[in-house]
Structure formats: structure tokens, C-alpha cells
Amino acid sequence: VGQMQHDLFHVYTVDQHILQVVRNLRRFTMMEFAHEYPLCSRLMAGFERHWLLYVAALFHDIAKGRGGDHSQLGKADARSFCLAHGISHEDTDLVVFLVEQHLSMSATAQKQDLSDPEVIRRFADSVKTERRLVALYLLTVADIRGTSPKVWNAWKGKLLEDLYRATLRVLGGRAPDADAEVESRKRDALTELARLALPHQVHKALWDTLDVSYFMRHEAGDIAWHTRQLSRPLSLAKATGQAPGVTVKARLSPLGEGLQVMVYTPDQSDLFARICGYFDQAEFSILDAKIHTAKNGYALDTFQVVTPMLNVHYRELTPMVENDLRHVIEQGGDLSPPRQGG
């Protein structure tokens, strides 16, 4: 009780945080909150003996402040509690697993490449069963939501849901098939382009310069957006015989939070650092960056960024980002020093 957590994420003491996580799990069971996290509410409704998740929540951080790995120390406490209270071996194993691995799903989703089939396969091997996967997903969402009102965002939610769904497919016996996934995304992107009434072959100028890794790392909606935005500059370049210049396009993120920014430019040294320096100076935080170099030597990079100003001024920020970032890339020169140092 009253144990402070000295990190960048937790604003509550350990006891406050634990109760917040239990509260968040309980909200998944209540119909009036089903609109907040529909997938979590559906999964919780079908989860047998969901009170086991409350037990895991109570013990997941119980060992903080003792020194050592709190997940390992808490796992021993959870096992002793379950056995002392007559909880079955199967359910005890679930609770112990959740306490021991409560950080693993968040770490995998946020720090590893979810387009890599090996990442998904390794995570599935560690989870082993669908019941464990569902329980870990629910606890992870509740845990992140319980660290601070500012830590959770739509992008983290999407990463966790993507990892959950990809792992579920593997546990169901569907091995990751990169070729099938790429073809599916291409079909969906072409359908979206047709819906926008773009010419039938408009995609070829861009897609012929892209390899499998691009299509594995971008969803169909993003592929269609890139293609739509780049079709005109690529067509003009072909007609004039000149290489296309720098293209920067921004839009409100499809996740409904932050901006999605696309950069298409001849590759150059320090390009990534230059773009990140611009976002730092403009007081944007980068949630995600997908970096790709096409076969024609052009960089096609996509960033998810947020700023405290976005909720009110995103319409004004979109052209500002497009114009200012394009100017920064075209101008070149020395890199800007970090705004906050370090």
C-alpha cells in the first residue's frame, strides 16, 4: 500500500493501480460499458469463470518493491493463494501464467514487428491455448488502461488486437502464409481504389516498385491511400520524363486519433532522423513509423503522430505538416538538435 512506481507510465501507487485494473476488467462485464471496448466485452462474456482474471489482476503487481523480478515473485504468491483456496490445478495454472506473463503481450505488440510470421509463431508457442490468449489479452488491455489516463491510445489498442487475432489464427492451425496475406491486401486495396473511381491500372506505377515486405507491413486501407496520393505525381513524372519530387501527405488517422503522415521522396542520408527532428520541433509524438525503400530508390515512409493540439486544430495542422515537412526534406542541411536534449 502506498508503494510508488518511479517510471514514465504509472501515475498511481501499486495498490491504486491494482484496483484500477480490477475495475477495468469488471467494466468488460457490464453492458453499459460495452461500447468502450467491444471486443473485450465480447470476449469477457464468453470467458468461463471470469473471476479468475480478477485474481490475476490482484497478484500481477503484488511483488513490486520487494526487489527482483516482480512477475516471478508474484507468480509464487499467486500459486500459493490458489492452492490454499481450493482453486483447481487448471485454473491455478491460468492465474500463474497471467501473473508471470502479464507484460509479454504488451512488449510483443509494441516492440516487435507483427508483420513477421516468426514473431507471431513464437508468441503463440508461449501462450499455447486460446483460453490463455483471451485471458492475457483482457488483462493486458485492463493493465495498460490502469497505468495512467494518458498512456492508452487507439494505436496501442490496434497493435494488441492485431497480435490477438494473428495469434488466434496460428493457435487455430492456420500457419502464417505471407503470399496469401499479400494477395488479400492487394485485392482489398484494389477494391477500395475502384470504389474511389480511380483508373483501373492506376496502381501499377507504384506497386511495380514495391516488394513483399511493403505489402506485409501495410494494411489494405493504407496501401490504397498511398496509391491514390502518389498516382498523380507518378503519372506526371512519367509524362514529363522527370523524376517525381518530394510528396508529403497527411490525414486524420483511420484509428480516429492523431495524424497519419506519408512521405515519398528520393532516399537520402539521415532522412529518418530529419523527419523525426521535424516532428520533435513541431511537438508531435511519434507512435509508429513504417519505413520502406522502393526498388526505384525512393523512400516511402508512414508515421502515426499525435499532438495535444490535434483534437481542436487537426484541419489546420494537416496542410501545415504537409508544407513544412516537405520544405524540411527539400532544404536538407544540418539536422536540428533535439528540442528537449538527451
Side-chain angles (χ1 to χ4, degrees), residues 250-261:
R251 65 174 179 174
L252 188 64
S253 172
L255 301 175
E257 182 177 2
L259 286 178
Q260 188 176 43
V261 183

PDB file of all heavy atoms in Angstrom, residues 250-261:
ATOM      1  N   ALA A 250      -0.820  14.133 -45.390  1.00  0.00           N
ATOM      2  CA  ALA A 250      -1.262  13.842 -44.027  1.00  0.00           C
ATOM      3  C   ALA A 250      -2.775  13.739 -43.997  1.00  0.00           C
ATOM      4  O   ALA A 250      -3.472  14.392 -44.784  1.00  0.00           O
ATOM      5  CB  ALA A 250      -0.777  14.932 -43.064  1.00  0.00           C
ATOM      6  N   ARG A 251      -3.269  12.938 -43.099  1.00  0.00           N
ATOM      7  CA  ARG A 251      -4.714  12.799 -42.913  1.00  0.00           C
ATOM      8  C   ARG A 251      -4.975  12.428 -41.459  1.00  0.00           C
ATOM      9  O   ARG A 251      -4.074  11.951 -40.748  1.00  0.00           O
ATOM     10  CB  ARG A 251      -5.297  11.728 -43.834  1.00  0.00           C
ATOM     11  CG  ARG A 251      -4.794  10.315 -43.550  1.00  0.00           C
ATOM     12  CD  ARG A 251      -5.521   9.288 -44.399  1.00  0.00           C
ATOM     13  NE  ARG A 251      -5.032   7.930 -44.152  1.00  0.00           N
ATOM     14  CZ  ARG A 251      -5.574   6.827 -44.676  1.00  0.00           C
ATOM     15  NH1 ARG A 251      -6.627   6.927 -45.476  1.00  0.00           N
ATOM     16  NH2 ARG A 251      -5.088   5.632 -44.394  1.00  0.00           N
ATOM     17  N   LEU A 252      -6.198  12.648 -41.026  1.00  0.00           N
ATOM     18  CA  LEU A 252      -6.581  12.176 -39.707  1.00  0.00           C
ATOM     19  C   LEU A 252      -6.454  10.664 -39.698  1.00  0.00           C
ATOM     20  O   LEU A 252      -6.911   9.993 -40.629  1.00  0.00           O
ATOM     21  CB  LEU A 252      -8.015  12.589 -39.378  1.00  0.00           C
ATOM     22  CG  LEU A 252      -8.493  12.311 -37.943  1.00  0.00           C
ATOM     23  CD1 LEU A 252      -7.686  13.134 -36.951  1.00  0.00           C
ATOM     24  CD2 LEU A 252      -9.977  12.622 -37.812  1.00  0.00           C
ATOM     25  N   SER A 253      -5.811  10.115 -38.698  1.00  0.00           N
ATOM     26  CA  SER A 253      -5.564   8.683 -38.661  1.00  0.00           C
ATOM     27  C   SER A 253      -6.868   7.899 -38.761  1.00  0.00           C
ATOM     28  O   SER A 253      -7.873   8.272 -38.147  1.00  0.00           O
ATOM     29  CB  SER A 253      -4.849   8.298 -37.368  1.00  0.00           C
ATOM     30  OG  SER A 253      -4.774   6.894 -37.233  1.00  0.00           O
ATOM     31  N   PRO A 254      -6.880   6.807 -39.537  1.00  0.00           N
ATOM     32  CA  PRO A 254      -8.074   5.960 -39.601  1.00  0.00           C
ATOM     33  C   PRO A 254      -8.487   5.417 -38.234  1.00  0.00           C
ATOM     34  O   PRO A 254      -9.627   5.012 -38.041  1.00  0.00           O
ATOM     35  CB  PRO A 254      -7.635   4.817 -40.531  1.00  0.00           C
ATOM     36  CG  PRO A 254      -6.529   5.386 -41.348  1.00  0.00           C
ATOM     37  CD  PRO A 254      -5.814   6.346 -40.450  1.00  0.00           C
ATOM     38  N   LEU A 255      -7.558   5.417 -37.279  1.00  0.00           N
ATOM     39  CA  LEU A 255      -7.890   4.968 -35.929  1.00  0.00           C
ATOM     40  C   LEU A 255      -8.700   6.004 -35.175  1.00  0.00           C
ATOM     41  O   LEU A 255      -9.208   5.731 -34.095  1.00  0.00           O
ATOM     42  CB  LEU A 255      -6.606   4.668 -35.149  1.00  0.00           C
ATOM     43  CG  LEU A 255      -5.695   3.606 -35.748  1.00  0.00           C
ATOM     44  CD1 LEU A 255      -4.408   3.505 -34.945  1.00  0.00           C
ATOM     45  CD2 LEU A 255      -6.397   2.264 -35.782  1.00  0.00           C
ATOM     46  N   GLY A 256      -8.797   7.218 -35.742  1.00  0.00           N
ATOM     47  CA  GLY A 256      -9.575   8.266 -35.102  1.00  0.00           C
ATOM     48  C   GLY A 256      -8.793   9.076 -34.097  1.00  0.00           C
ATOM     49  O   GLY A 256      -9.349   9.894 -33.375  1.00  0.00           O
ATOM     50  N   GLU A 257      -7.480   8.878 -34.018  1.00  0.00           N
ATOM     51  CA  GLU A 257      -6.662   9.597 -33.051  1.00  0.00           C
ATOM     52  C   GLU A 257      -5.308   9.902 -33.686  1.00  0.00           C
ATOM     53  O   GLU A 257      -4.610   9.014 -34.143  1.00  0.00           O
ATOM     54  CB  GLU A 257      -6.463   8.737 -31.800  1.00  0.00           C
ATOM     55  CG  GLU A 257      -5.655   9.401 -30.708  1.00  0.00           C
ATOM     56  CD  GLU A 257      -5.559   8.536 -29.466  1.00  0.00           C
ATOM     57  OE1 GLU A 257      -6.099   7.410 -29.482  1.00  0.00           O
ATOM     58  OE2 GLU A 257      -4.946   8.980 -28.494  1.00  0.00           O
ATOM     59  N   GLY A 258      -4.946  11.158 -33.748  1.00  0.00           N
ATOM     60  CA  GLY A 258      -3.665  11.530 -34.320  1.00  0.00           C
ATOM     61  C   GLY A 258      -3.718  11.680 -35.830  1.00  0.00           C
ATOM     62  O   GLY A 258      -4.768  11.573 -36.469  1.00  0.00           O
ATOM     63  N   LEU A 259      -2.550  11.968 -36.412  1.00  0.00           N
ATOM     64  CA  LEU A 259      -2.404  12.101 -37.851  1.00  0.00           C
ATOM     65  C   LEU A 259      -1.599  10.945 -38.414  1.00  0.00           C
ATOM     66  O   LEU A 259      -0.697  10.414 -37.749  1.00  0.00           O
ATOM     67  CB  LEU A 259      -1.669  13.401 -38.201  1.00  0.00           C
ATOM     68  CG  LEU A 259      -2.417  14.722 -38.068  1.00  0.00           C
ATOM     69  CD1 LEU A 259      -1.476  15.876 -38.407  1.00  0.00           C
ATOM     70  CD2 LEU A 259      -3.648  14.760 -38.951  1.00  0.00           C
ATOM     71  N   GLN A 260      -1.927  10.554 -39.626  1.00  0.00           N
ATOM     72  CA  GLN A 260      -1.110   9.624 -40.384  1.00  0.00           C
ATOM     73  C   GLN A 260      -0.413  10.434 -41.472  1.00  0.00           C
ATOM     74  O   GLN A 260      -1.069  11.147 -42.225  1.00  0.00           O
ATOM     75  CB  GLN A 260      -1.972   8.517 -40.991  1.00  0.00           C
ATOM     76  CG  GLN A 260      -1.176   7.399 -41.644  1.00  0.00           C
ATOM     77  CD  GLN A 260      -2.082   6.288 -42.150  1.00  0.00           C
ATOM     78  OE1 GLN A 260      -3.125   6.549 -42.741  1.00  0.00           O
ATOM     79  NE2 GLN A 260      -1.692   5.051 -41.920  1.00  0.00           N
ATOM     80  N   VAL A 261       0.904  10.340 -41.513  1.00  0.00           N
ATOM     81  CA  VAL A 261       1.703  11.156 -42.427  1.00  0.00           C
ATOM     82  C   VAL A 261       2.512  10.244 -43.344  1.00  0.00           C
ATOM     83  O   VAL A 261       3.244   9.370 -42.867  1.00  0.00           O
ATOM     84  CB  VAL A 261       2.650  12.099 -41.664  1.00  0.00           C
ATOM     85  CG1 VAL A 261       3.426  12.982 -42.635  1.00  0.00           C
ATOM     86  CG2 VAL A 261       1.874  12.963 -40.672  1.00  0.00           C
TER      87      VAL A 261
END
